[in-house]
Amino acid sequence: MNLVPQTPPHPSGDKRFKLLDVAIKRHQFRQDALIEILHTAQELFGYLDNDVLIYVGRAVRAPLSRVYGVATFYNFFSMKPPGEHTCVVCMGTACYVKGAGQILQALEQKHGIKAGETTEDGKVSLVTARCLGACGLAPAVVFDGEVAGKIGTEATLERVRPWSEGSSRTEEAQP
Ligand code: FES
């Protein structure tokens, strides 16, 4: 007998759930494709909220604890809305031995948030990565998608500072 799992439509009518259904079907509702499916969900929604995790769990028939476990284990998944700007500090071994820990700590102190959180004004999200694949550039930090290598703590704080100050610096730079 061919038992094809059914995903009931999401009651919100949000079209993104339909797109998520397509990804889930493409992975044949497999639990071992949970990471790929959650990746798609995060791309669609920007982050993984409870509603999305429950939906995915039901679709692949995985216990919610497992879905939460995967979503919280990997640093590339975010459970909160991302901020206007994102700073990713690589905490892989190569970066860590070159001072990534101090960089992260300084950012956390300066902005009053922990890794994985966003400042209250929604301006800055602080994220950590396991390895950016740029170990030769250690320590590596990504500022809004732009990779900076061999960067120090002060330089990192300097790059992030204008984000929390709004656009004043840019305006100051105007003639
Ligand atoms: S450990 Fe940081 S890029 Fe590999």
Side-chain angles (χ1 to χ4, degrees), residues 164-175:
S164 52
E165 288 172 357
S167 56
S168 55
R169 263 168 185 256
T170 320
E171 283 159 13
E172 275 166 23
Q174 301 292 321

Side-chain angles (χ1 to χ4, degrees), residues 90-96 129-140:
C90 180
M91 292 293 279
T93 308
C95 291
Y96 189 80
R130 302 193 142 217
C131 175
L132 296 168
C135 306
L137 295 176

Side-chain angles (χ1 to χ4, degrees), residues 2-84:
N2 186 18
L3 282 176
V4 178
Q6 294 296 311
T7 321
H10 192 269
S12 68
D14 187 329
K15 286 195 176 66
R16 290 173 297 181
F17 283 99
K18 284 198 171 158
L19 296 170
L20 184 55
D21 284 344
V22 172
I24 292 168
K25 279 182 192 147
R26 196 172 58 238
H27 289 291
Q28 300 170 331
F29 303 88
R30 287 180 6 246
Q31 284 190 24
D32 59 8
L34 207 44
I35 294 175
E36 289 88 343
I37 292 169
L38 289 177
H39 257 305
T40 304
Q42 181 156 289
E43 279 166 13
L44 289 169
F45 294 88
Y47 67 104
L48 303 172
D49 69 3
N50 287 348
D51 210 21
V52 170
L53 293 177
I54 291 167
Y55 189 79
V56 169
R58 284 200 181 132
V60 301
R61 298 186 173 189
L64 197 51
S65 57
R66 167 130 195 257
V67 184
Y68 268 100
V70 171
T72 52
F73 181 77
Y74 294 100
N75 289 323
F76 42 76
F77 291 130
S78 172
M79 313 276 285
K80 293 188 177 171
E84 208 175 295

Side-chain angles (χ1 to χ4, degrees), residues 105-128:
Q105 201 178 19
L107 285 166
E108 287 179 337
Q109 277 172 2
K110 182 79 187 167
H111 296 279
I113 48 172
K114 291 278 175 203
E117 294 180 349
T118 299
T119 51
E120 257 177 30
D121 60 6
K123 296 255 185 197
V124 182
S125 286
L126 187 55
V127 180
T128 55

